[in-house]
Amino acid sequence: MTNVLPKAPIRHVAAKLTNGDAAHRVLTAESFATANREITAWDGYAPTPLVSLSAIAAAIGVGEILYKDEGPRFGLGSFKALGGSYAALRVLQREISKRFGKDVSLADIRHGTYAEECAAITLVSATDGNHGRSLAWGCKRFGVRCRIYVHAEVSEGRAAAMRDLGAEVVRIEGGYDESVLLAKTEAEDNGWFVVSDTSWPGYSLPPRDVMCGYGVMVQEVCDALDQAPTHVFLQGGVGGLAAGVIAALRQYWGEASPRPIIVEPELAACLFESAKIGAATKVDIAEETLMAGLSCGEPSGLAWEILSEEATDYLTIPEALVAPAVRLLAKPPGNDTAIEAGESAVAGLAALIAAMADTSLAEKLGLASTSRVLLIGSEGVTDQAIFNMIMEGHEAA
């Protein structure tokens, strides 16, 4: 199996790292531990699979590929279930503690001790799909009103999934960044509370909580391993997933932590462009990527603090690699486990395969036959219609 995916050019930039302690300061060990204790106590919690893709690894020439399959997470289909719902709980905890002038526990909120107060609160966010679904799920559990803003290109299937969880879904013209701005503006006007996975000046607590929730996923990975992977390929977006995973890995493995490689669609490469100039940079998105969850034009400032000190390499991949990578996981070679993955989930796999097909790039990334690579399969099938089109051999829009 020599041609695992179509040959396609990918771009690479090696970052000039700044010095600092962001991996320990921005997301502390205590905050990760708090999130882990809470989330693992939720009904329905179970670790998601860590799958070895040994046949694909052998075909491309690396020692091991470990794929963390977040498709089964809480029945919501993505890793976002660990972030948005936990951040919602933390917002409620802070607000109700403030109203009563005393410390209210997360368990108090979860068990409905303050159900009447929660019912009078509205939580809002913008989303490409998965974060909003997680927030809607959390709001339904905690008895809170939920309002979600989606942009023009978010599929109706993803919007319907949020409505089914009780959220009011508001569709706007424009892209993700415009939906973030509208959510923020209307929340300020109406006394609602934004639960976003991206930060901006003066707004950092919920996105920090979102990233701490992702630490549960990392803890599960580390508990299953007796040595650190050599590399980890991480989806870009606003940077929250990548920063949360990198910080948690650094805290667990220390100097042995895997080399972090950030992967973005070439159509939405705000982190790549930020790495090129050494500062968080907004880019305009002229065309939507098939990897809907990664269609973000502006980095989270909080996430960039960590990425600028930890992420050594940034890659962009073309659209031509996405659908074939989805099909490869669904119908893998050899005895590899078949995985039904969403479009954003395959970014790391597509980039790894493309990098190994380019000898010069593989060398720059330190990839070799002994490399053990961790991939975050960030979502399962979150839109069945799009997945079906891909499996039928069509490009989905």
Side-chain angles (χ1 to χ4, degrees), residues 101-142:
K102 65 177 184 179
D103 290 336
V104 171
S105 72
L106 293 170
D108 285 337
I109 305 296
R110 174 162 38 93
H111 292 312
T113 305
Y114 297 92
E116 184 177 346
E117 289 77 15
C118 286
I121 292 173
T122 298
L123 302 183
V124 307
S125 190
T127 188
D128 284 316
N130 289 335
H131 174 74
R133 190 173 180 181
S134 172
L135 179 58
W137 178 71
C139 287
K140 183 177 181 179
R141 280 197 162 193
F142 310 137

Side-chain angles (χ1 to χ4, degrees), residues 112-382:
T113 305
Y114 297 92
E116 184 177 346
E117 289 77 15
C118 286
I121 292 173
T122 298
L123 302 183
V124 307
S125 190
T127 188
D128 284 316
N130 289 335
H131 174 74
R133 190 173 180 181
S134 172
L135 179 58
W137 178 71
C139 287
K140 183 177 181 179
R141 280 197 162 193
F142 310 137
V144 186
R145 292 194 296 265
C146 183
R147 185 176 171 93
I148 303 294
Y149 297 79
V150 300
H151 60 80
E153 299 299 325
V154 173
S155 73
E156 182 52 34
R158 293 188 172 104
M162 289 178 270
R163 292 192 197 98
D164 289 345
L165 289 166
E168 180 184 2
V169 177
V170 179
R171 186 179 292 277
I172 71 159
E173 295 299 321
Y176 173 75
D177 298 314
E178 286 76 20
S179 65
V180 170
L181 179 60
L182 184 61
K184 176 184 175 183
T185 301
E186 293 202 349
E188 290 173 350
D189 291 344
N190 292 280
W192 301 332
F193 297 87
V194 178
V195 184
S196 177
D197 57 356
T198 189
S199 68
W200 52 81
Y203 180 83
S204 63
L205 288 178
R208 182 179 279 110
D209 292 330
V210 166
M211 290 191 285
C212 288
Y214 300 159
V216 173
M217 174 175 62
V218 179
Q219 188 64 51
E220 293 171 1
V221 170
C222 295
D223 287 345
L225 300 178
D226 56 10
Q227 61 178 328
T230 60
H231 298 72
V232 57
F233 281 63
L234 294 163
Q235 291 88 334
V238 299
L241 166 64
V245 170
I246 288 170
L249 288 171
R250 174 66 71 189
Q251 290 181 26
Y252 189 92
W253 294 108
E255 291 301 313
S257 190
R259 179 171 178 170
I261 298 168
I262 310 302
V263 182
E264 293 178 288
E266 62 181 10
L267 297 177
C270 63
L271 299 178
F272 183 92
E273 295 301 325
S274 298
K276 282 172 63 176
I277 68 170
T281 302
K282 182 178 180 179
V283 300
D284 293 326
I285 296 177
E287 180 183 351
E288 289 294 326
T289 170
L290 178 56
M291 294 173 278
L294 305 182
S295 184
C296 307
E298 186 169 10
S300 166
L302 199 65
W304 182 250
E305 288 188 53
I306 296 171
L307 297 180
S308 65
E309 295 180 7
E310 297 283 341
T312 58
D313 302 272
Y314 295 75
L315 303 174
T316 68
I317 58 173
E319 297 296 290
L321 295 181
V322 181
V326 170
R327 291 191 287 267
L328 177 65
L329 277 180
K331 297 181 178 180
N335 294 320
D336 283 1
T337 300
I339 299 170
E340 292 192 348
E343 312 86 74
S344 297
V346 301
L349 178 64
L352 171 61
I353 293 172
M356 289 303 294
D358 182 334
T359 303
S360 174
L361 179 56
E363 183 176 346
K364 290 176 183 176
L365 298 176
L367 291 166
S369 61
T370 57
S371 298
R372 303 181 312 281
V373 182
L374 173 63
L375 306 176
I376 303 298
S378 56
E379 63 180 8
V381 178
T382 57

Side-chain angles (χ1 to χ4, degrees), residues 17-155:
L17 301 182
T18 58
N19 294 322
D21 61 351
H24 297 272
R25 172 178 48 79
V26 175
L27 304 175
T28 66
E30 181 181 1
S31 63
F32 274 129
T34 299
N36 191 74
R37 284 192 301 271
E38 174 60 28
I39 293 169
T40 56
W42 292 355
D43 292 341
Y45 168 77
T48 53
L50 183 64
V51 180
S52 178
L53 302 177
S54 55
I56 297 177
I60 67 172
V62 295
E64 186 173 31
I65 299 174
L66 295 168
Y67 182 95
K68 180 65 167 169
D69 180 12
E70 287 295 295
R73 184 68 73 182
F74 285 114
L76 293 183
S78 91
F79 78 105
K80 292 283 190 176
L82 298 169
S85 45
Y86 174 68
L89 188 62
R90 292 279 285 164
V91 168
L92 295 172
Q93 179 193 33
R94 284 190 287 267
E95 178 60 20
I96 293 174
S97 294
K98 178 181 175 182
R99 292 182 183 185
F100 281 85
K102 65 177 184 179
D103 290 336
V104 171
S105 72
L106 293 170
D108 285 337
I109 305 296
R110 174 162 38 93
H111 292 312
T113 305
Y114 297 92
E116 184 177 346
E117 289 77 15
C118 286
I121 292 173
T122 298
L123 302 183
V124 307
S125 190
T127 188
D128 284 316
N130 289 335
H131 174 74
R133 190 173 180 181
S134 172
L135 179 58
W137 178 71
C139 287
K140 183 177 181 179
R141 280 197 162 193
F142 310 137
V144 186
R145 292 194 296 265
C146 183
R147 185 176 171 93
I148 303 294
Y149 297 79
V150 300
H151 60 80
E153 299 299 325
V154 173
S155 73

